[in-house]
Amino acid sequence: GGARYEAMSYILFRKPDAFDEETRKRVTPKDPKTRDGGKKSGDKIPSSAGKTKGKAGRPKKNANQARIELAASKHEAIEFSADEYPQLAVDEQRDYSELAGAFTKPLFEEPSRPLEIAYSQQKKMDYEKKIAEQKKVDMAKECQQLREKLQEKKLALSLANDEIKECNKKLGAWTRKVFDLELEESCEWNTNYQKVSAFKQQHGKIPSRKSQDVEEKSLSVWLDSVRHEKSVGDDQEKSNA
């Protein structure tokens, strides 16, 4: 495709270096009319070259190709020394990301050692890229699941809030009912409370200690005791908080 041609154009028309000149001196054009064609290590090998046929007539892969595929299958690149193969130095200053998908398959089944190493390195990076892409797919799927889970939790939270509001409404109504019924129970506290309520409704004020009326003064003492108990209870709640 276009990407492949673009990648090959870059290789064919880049500025030659010392290795390229030396390679050109060694490589001679292949004569398709001859059996060997003066084949060198840099010549393009036909798909049927370097293979032998087995009993079923299927071509067998040569040793170099098998070694390359074995390294790729293990996702390991062939180790090399930059001093021994300076032509394998990669230009990390430029971004060649547009060529990441340009390579489809090796053109040479019996490559030179440098190209064999480059094939293995390229295969390794291609595998690592696929691993990263799979991680991206997995993360995207997990994020989608988390978003769906979040929506479910938000809905559950909203329903819980509605339930709490309804419970508060009913709880308040029953609490009011309990308070009203407690005040109707027969006991000294309720009797005094009813007397104080009736006194205030009749006189427009609460009973006073200064009153000469014995019952009013008694109700006033009772109110003071209630206030004291309330104050003590509030202090205890503050200390416990």
Side-chain angles (χ1 to χ4, degrees), residues 117-128:
I117 295 173
Y119 278 155
S120 71
Q121 294 288 337
Q122 193 273 344
K123 280 285 186 180
K124 175 185 177 183
M125 293 312 304
D126 182 61
Y127 172 75
E128 292 183 1

Side-chain angles (χ1 to χ4, degrees), residues 128-144 147:
E128 292 183 1
K129 176 191 172 186
K130 290 177 180 177
I131 292 298
E133 288 175 341
Q134 185 58 48
K135 287 181 180 179
K136 178 182 177 181
V137 171
D138 293 341
M139 289 297 101
K141 183 177 180 180
E142 185 175 348
C143 287
Q144 180 61 29
R147 282 192 290 267

Side-chain angles (χ1 to χ4, degrees), residues 48 51-60:
S48 61
K51 298 181 181 179
T52 60
K53 294 187 177 181
K55 294 181 180 179
R58 295 187 221 167
K60 293 183 179 180

Side-chain angles (χ1 to χ4, degrees), residues 3 5 22-23 40 85 88 92 94 103-104 131 191 198 235:
Y5 288 129
E22 183 63 25
T23 302
K40 302 296 182 180
Y85 298 101
L88 292 177
E92 297 181 353
R94 295 183 60 182
F103 189 83
T104 56
I131 292 298
T191 300
D235 292 340

